[in-house]
Amino acid sequence: MPEQDAGALTAIVPATEETAIEAYIDEVWMEMGLSTNTLAAYRADLRACAGWLSLRRCGMTLLQAGAADLQAYLAARHTLSPRSLARLQSALRHYYRHQLRHGRIAVDPTGVIETPKLGRRLPGSLSEAEVEALLAAPDAGTSLGLRDRAMLELLYATGLRVSELVTLGRDQVNPRGGVLRVSGKGNKERLVPIGETALDWLERYLAEARPALLGMRLTEALFVTSRGESMTRQNFWYLIKRYAMTAGIDPMRLSPHTLRHAFATHLVNHGADLRVVQLLLGHSDLSTTQIYTHVARERLKRLHERHHPRG
């Protein structure tokens, strides 16, 4: 039989295997509460592997497959991108570990298969000049513009997550001490310095724009809308996109964490200690913060290539 692409065999799945795969999907859905997208990806990957095994290994089922059989299948999928291949291996590992826990197999055949190492994606960021242009985009002569300028300045000065910014309460700000008390992931609290420039804009907002936006209404939310309600992540994300266009920045380059990444990258570029950046960002693990050293190195490499005569 001529060689076929493994991906073309996804439809050739014995009925008994279809039933077994669906039973597994139902079990992990009940046990782990996985998302619909994850379950769909697991189902597709397992069906593709089951079809290949049935055709190439004379009716072999997933439960009968050994490490050599799975390695042969993965080799047949060599045209997949590293990220897709890693996802496929993850689906197979989850499947066989689940079957091992339930006593349906004696040995996990994926235990000896090496997981591909993926390079971590560098977060998107902005140059310092681009950040300055973005911060200057709101019209601070209006109440809404002053609020937006204060939010952007605070986001860049503190490295907060957008969700942390929009849920800030008035009592979490200590203007005299120049710090914010932030409740981050896992309800872990941290104190974050604001910085003089951001503090100036925040105090202007509190003195001028917030009272004008609230009128006679009362709320504990720090940043409010023209209706006197607290801001949402979606509202603020829309504003960032709009101000990016005003500043001449391609909105497609932005993510909700762009200013957070810029905050960390610019600190590292200017020599900040990585553990300090870790504390400011609220990362529980230093390895998460270390990606910003890669960002800084990439920037230095580009500068070298652009300006050095032998770059």
Side-chain angles (χ1 to χ4, degrees):
M1 178 182 294
E3 189 71 12
Q4 298 179 50
D5 177 69
L9 305 175
T10 55
I12 311 173
V13 183
T16 53
E17 281 288 78
E18 289 275 19
T19 302
I21 291 170
E22 287 305 317
Y24 161 73
I25 294 296
D26 289 342
E27 287 176 5
V28 293
W29 176 78
M30 288 187 289
E31 291 178 13
M32 303 171 64
L34 298 177
S35 71
T36 303
N37 288 342
T38 300
L39 292 173
Y42 280 9
R43 180 185 289 108
D45 286 335
L46 291 173
R47 289 186 76 255
C49 184
W52 189 91
L53 289 170
S54 178
L55 182 64
R56 297 308 178 93
R57 294 293 189 265
C58 300
M60 177 180 285
T61 66
L62 286 167
L63 291 182
Q64 293 170 341
D69 302 305
L70 296 180
Q71 285 173 327
Y73 173 65
L74 292 171
R77 303 304 304 269
H78 70 278
T79 55
L80 291 175
S81 70
R83 200 161 294 278
S84 295
L85 189 60
R87 192 204 70 186
L88 169 58
Q89 288 190 223
S90 176
L92 292 173
R93 277 198 309 275
H94 277 89
Y95 174 78
Y96 285 106
R97 287 174 185 174
H98 177 85
Q99 305 301 352
L100 184 65
R101 283 198 307 272
H102 286 266
R104 295 168 188 147
I105 55 175
V107 178
D108 174 7
T110 65
V112 296
I113 298 176
E114 187 176 346
T115 303
K117 289 183 170 52
L118 297 176
R120 297 186 67 178
R121 289 181 178 176
L122 298 180
S125 188
L126 297 174
S127 69
E128 292 178 37
E130 287 173 325
V131 169
E132 290 294 338
L134 181 62
L135 297 180
D139 178 5
T142 67
S143 295
L144 290 175
L146 181 52
R147 177 204 63 190
D148 297 344
R149 177 67 184 261
M151 293 185 78
L152 289 170
E153 289 279 358
L154 194 61
L155 196 62
Y156 178 57
T158 59
L160 296 185
R161 300 175 178 92
V162 171
S163 57
E164 294 170 342
L165 178 76
V166 299
T167 56
L168 280 174
R170 181 68 182 81
D171 62 346
Q172 290 177 256
V173 182
N174 182 347
R176 181 171 296 181
V179 295
L180 296 174
R181 179 171 47 84
V182 181
S183 179
K185 288 187 176 179
N187 291 321
K188 293 181 181 178
E189 286 199 347
R190 67 187 190 277
L191 291 178
V192 182
I194 300 174
E196 290 184 10
T197 303
L199 184 58
D200 287 343
W201 284 105
L202 182 58
E203 290 183 324
R204 277 190 59 187
Y205 161 73
L206 291 172
E208 304 169 26
R210 189 171 184 271
L213 293 171
L214 278 178
M216 300 299 293
R217 293 167 294 222
L218 297 176
T219 180
E220 289 301 310
L222 178 60
F223 294 108
V224 296
T225 67
S226 56
R227 297 177 181 176
E229 300 168 349
S230 59
M231 289 282 289
T232 66
R233 292 177 72 254
Q234 292 79 8
N235 286 344
F236 189 61
W237 177 226
Y238 168 77
L239 291 174
I240 290 179
K241 289 275 193 178
R242 195 180 79 196
Y243 289 131
M245 295 178 68
T246 302
I249 300 168
D250 181 2
M252 297 301 293
R253 292 178 52 206
L254 300 180
S255 77
H257 280 338
T258 297
L259 282 179
R260 177 172 164 87
H261 296 321
F263 162 83
T265 304
H266 298 169
L267 279 176
V268 172
N269 284 345
H270 287 278
D273 182 86
L274 206 58
R275 290 201 176 273
V276 173
V277 179
Q278 176 192 0
L279 291 172
L280 294 173
L281 291 173
H283 287 161
S284 57
D285 192 334
L286 184 63
S287 64
T288 308
T289 317
Q290 283 174 332
I291 192 167
Y292 293 105
T293 62
H294 301 308
V295 174
R297 281 201 294 270
E298 287 298 314
R299 177 177 176 275
L300 289 174
K301 281 169 59 179
R302 288 195 299 270
L303 287 172
H304 182 274
E305 290 168 359
R306 188 179 309 144
H307 300 294
H308 195 276
R310 295 187 182 276

